[in-house]
Amino acid sequence: MTEALVKLDSVSVEFDGRAVVDRVTLSLQRGDIITVIGPNGAGKTTLIKTVLGIQRPTRGQLAMAADLVIGYVPQRLTLEPTLPLSVQRFMLLSGHNLAECTSALGRTGVSHLLGASVHHLSGGERQRLLLARALVRKPDLLVLDEPAQGVDINGQATLYELIRELRDELHCGVIMISHDLHLVMAATDKVICLNQHVCCSGFPEDISKDPAFIETFGHQVAESLAVYHHNHNHRHNLHGDVVGAGDTGGGCGHDHH
């Protein structure tokens, strides 16, 4: 059995005596894409911070593989608006050389923006820049907090496709938070529904039938996910445009596990 990159065993995080994360157990291996979903205030970001080692558990055990390299994509990039900062300069601040930075930008489709101001990027361009900055580290684990934040619907589908491709190329693990339930069902291997504790978890095609999922998100969402899973079988190009139907039967041209 492959050694887990990250393992949480009955981890709880409390603030002022209140459990924000309650007895969560999960294991993430190389090649896994795990997506954490849940309502606002469910503890998703706190869980991610715990995985990153930023937040210490109040109780339980957190174990990480030796020499684990983590690439982190935050939900948003907050910069001082008066600070002039080009894409090239932003990437070089990672400590990697220009060739490595340019290669990572090329892999996420934004190498043409090398001389552009970070402040003038679109939502999709900014998220691809953040992904490139995480990618340049050649991570064992990618941690993504709402990676499609501020990206239009077609761009979201393409971004999730790219994340799957990077998982395959790097043979890394991926854990991400997302609210884009329909696209998540096409982009992930496993879903964890969090509401302080783990309400339910499993394969995307099964999770929408789980009573705990239905209780959290409602019958309408669960039914629409089931329809989407069977009918969203087209593909998108780099810009998010539909380029043709696939015959995989899965979402967005992906194979399901």
Side-chain angles (χ1 to χ4, degrees):
M1 185 174 179
T2 308
E3 179 192 8
L5 297 174
V6 175
K7 190 172 184 179
L8 278 67
D9 186 8
S10 296
V11 163
S12 295
V13 179
E14 295 180 0
F15 298 129
D16 299 323
R18 183 176 70 89
V20 178
V21 171
D22 187 19
R23 292 167 294 174
V24 170
T25 294
L26 69 85
S27 179
L28 191 144
Q29 320 261 344
R30 284 190 183 278
D32 286 347
I33 298 181
I34 294 178
T35 302
V36 182
I37 62 173
N40 290 333
K44 301 185 297 296
T45 296
T46 300
L47 180 64
I48 288 292
K49 286 180 177 178
T50 305
V51 170
L52 288 168
I54 297 170
Q55 177 66 53
R56 300 183 81 175
T58 307
R59 284 192 298 278
Q61 299 295 320
L62 168 66
M64 293 188 175
D67 302 318
L68 183 71
V69 177
I70 298 177
Y72 174 50
V73 177
Q75 186 173 140
R76 59 181 61 87
L77 179 62
T78 305
L79 296 169
E80 172 58 50
T82 58
L83 178 70
L85 186 64
S86 68
V87 167
Q88 177 175 318
R89 179 63 181 152
F90 178 76
M91 288 295 293
L92 289 173
L93 288 171
S94 68
H96 293 267
N97 64 42
L98 182 58
E100 291 170 321
C101 291
T102 304
S103 175
L105 289 167
R107 186 60 195 89
T108 63
V110 287
S111 58
H112 61 289
L113 297 172
L114 200 62
S117 167
V118 172
H119 300 290
H120 298 152
L121 302 181
S122 69
E125 289 168 344
R126 190 170 284 200
Q127 290 307 101
R128 285 173 177 272
L129 170 60
L130 290 172
L131 186 55
R133 197 164 189 267
L135 183 62
V136 78
R137 293 173 52 81
K138 296 183 171 53
D140 304 301
L141 173 64
L142 267 175
V143 179
L144 313 170
D145 188 352
E146 293 284 357
Q149 181 82 15
V151 183
D152 65 35
I153 187 71
N154 287 335
Q156 288 174 23
T158 312
L159 193 62
Y160 284 125
E161 255 184 72
L162 175 60
I163 290 166
R164 285 185 68 92
E165 290 171 7
L166 294 173
R167 181 275 311 267
D168 294 340
E169 290 169 18
L170 295 169
H171 190 45
C172 64
V174 179
I175 184 166
M176 61 181 166
I177 294 172
S178 183
H179 285 106
D180 311 304
L181 295 181
H182 291 86
L183 292 170
V184 161
M185 292 305 182
T188 194
D189 299 321
K190 185 179 181 182
V191 177
I192 293 176
C193 182
L194 189 72
N195 199 355
Q196 279 75 56
H197 65 286
V198 176
C199 301
C200 54
S201 64
F203 295 113
E205 55 266 37
D206 299 327
I207 201 80
S208 60
K209 303 167 192 170
D210 193 294
F213 180 91
I214 295 168
E215 184 179 349
T216 303
F217 292 101
H219 284 278
Q220 189 172 358
V221 170
E223 288 169 6
S224 71
L225 287 178
V227 170
Y228 180 91
H229 176 76
H230 289 294
N231 290 296
H232 184 215
N233 66 344
H234 55 268
R235 294 176 181 271
H236 302 271
N237 65 13
L238 182 64
H239 305 290
D241 305 314
V242 176
V243 293
D247 58 2
T248 61
C252 207
H254 301 307
D255 296 322
H256 290 272
H257 300 279

